[in-house]
Amino acid sequence: QVQLVESGGGLVQAGGSLRLSCAASVSIFRFNAMDWYRQPPGKQRELVADISRGGNTNYADSVKGRFTISRDNAKNTVNLQMNSLKTEDTAVYYCKVTDYWGRDYWGQGTQVTVSS
């Protein structure tokens, strides 16, 4: 069973930075894709960024140039560096991975709050 644990969330002022980390209980080489999603208050969950096993990345337009997704194969983590944070980045951030067989696994989420 795959377990994902997110960390790094918290309260930050607008313009600040946070680094989220998602630690997997198994080797991340098992996963074809690793994603970060977020769910702002009262809104639907949305894809923020994803990274493939080969290292290709994609970003939502709203975070391009500010967020960077990366994977650390040695530590079995996927990270999200968030810079120049805005109040609209406030959300619960979730890590999701997809394995070889197309099965998705989600973490429990970590709260990010950006104050003005």
Side-chain angles (χ1 to χ4, degrees):
Q1 183 69 5
V2 175
Q3 292 185 328
L4 303 171
V5 178
E6 297 105 333
S7 60
L11 174 65
V12 64
Q13 285 191 328
S17 297
L18 283 174
R19 182 177 176 85
L20 305 182
S21 184
C22 172
S25 59
V26 298
S27 171
I28 62 174
F29 282 112
R30 288 178 53 172
F31 307 133
N32 287 335
M34 303 184 74
D35 313 326
W36 282 98
Y37 281 76
R38 69 185 180 188
Q39 187 163 15
K43 296 184 179 180
Q44 292 193 339
R45 197 171 294 189
E46 61 184 9
L47 178 63
V48 174
D50 62 67
I51 185 166
S52 69
R53 188 148 44 98
N56 294 320
T57 59
N58 290 290
Y59 296 92
D61 288 342
S62 59
V63 306
K64 280 181 182 176
R66 299 189 298 122
F67 290 10
T68 303
I69 189 171
S70 62
R71 52 191 293 161
D72 187 328
N73 296 327
K75 295 182 178 179
N76 293 321
T77 60
V78 59
N79 306 302
L80 188 68
Q81 178 66 42
M82 305 186 296
N83 299 327
S84 302
L85 282 162
K86 304 176 181 180
T87 55
E88 52 262 45
D89 295 318
T90 294
V92 179
Y93 284 72
Y94 298 90
C95 172
K96 188 195 85 169
V97 300
T98 304
D99 68 13
Y100 291 149
W101 298 274
R103 295 177 298 199
D104 293 334
Y105 302 89
W106 291 86
Q108 82 288 352
T110 185
Q111 176 70 47
V112 171
T113 303
V114 184
S115 64
S116 59

